[in-house]
Amino acid sequence: MEDSRQAEKQQFVERFRQRTKQLALDVILFSKDLPKTEEATIMKRQLLRSATSVAANYRAACRSRSSAEFHSKLSIVIEEADETLFWLELLAESGTTTEAKVVTLKRETTEILSVMAKARKSASKN
């Protein structure tokens, strides 16, 4: 039973490692099509920084050496995912891009944010 549970946990961790990395890659591809205006460039940089940070910090959380370090890294993942969502919203609401172009990225970011918040809460209880 314990081995089965450990295998499930490892599968979840690997799926989320891939999922956060894919979000970063999708944001990189999306950002290539943004206009070349000064405003778009500023928002694009912020979006790229936060989305890639989600993936990098989740990866670091997976390698954490203590529960405190794990909690800290997950908190950064949550913060950066929320910031990624903010920049996607701002890009659409400012008319820099359309809602249709960010809807999938926003949905994935929201799901990652939700799962990571639950994981942090669960880890805090243990």
Side-chain angles (χ1 to χ4, degrees):
M1 183 71 172
E2 187 62 33
D3 287 343
S4 171
R5 207 164 186 195
Q6 189 63 24
E8 282 181 32
K9 183 179 177 182
Q10 284 303 104
Q11 287 176 344
F12 171 85
V13 166
E14 186 54 36
R15 269 197 318 271
F16 256 81
R17 191 185 316 245
Q18 289 303 318
R19 197 168 171 182
T20 56
K21 185 178 181 181
Q22 190 60 54
L23 174 66
L25 290 168
D26 291 345
V27 166
I28 290 167
L29 293 174
F30 162 77
S31 71
K32 290 180 178 185
D33 292 333
L34 289 172
K36 306 295 184 229
T37 64
E38 183 179 354
E39 304 83 30
T41 300
I42 291 167
M43 290 185 281
K44 176 171 101 170
R45 278 195 191 111
Q46 292 293 101
L47 174 63
L48 286 167
R49 188 202 55 74
S50 63
T52 55
S53 182
V54 169
N57 280 290
Y58 181 72
R59 191 176 184 119
C62 294
R63 300 266 185 234
S64 61
R65 294 166 296 214
S66 68
S67 57
E69 186 179 1
F70 179 75
H71 186 274
S72 175
K73 292 295 181 182
L74 268 192
S75 294
I76 295 169
V77 171
I78 292 164
E79 183 180 330
E80 295 293 343
D82 188 55
E83 186 175 333
T84 298
L85 194 54
F86 170 78
W87 291 115
L88 290 168
E89 290 168 354
L90 202 59
L91 282 161
E93 291 171 21
S94 68
T96 305
T97 191
T98 64
E99 182 64 31
K101 290 182 180 176
V102 297
V103 69
T104 303
L105 291 171
K106 283 172 58 177
R107 186 180 313 115
E108 179 63 1
T109 304
T110 301
E111 287 178 19
I112 288 170
L113 182 58
S114 175
V115 171
M116 292 296 104
K118 287 177 187 169
R120 180 178 63 177
K121 192 172 192 177
S122 176
S124 295
K125 288 179 183 176
N126 295 336

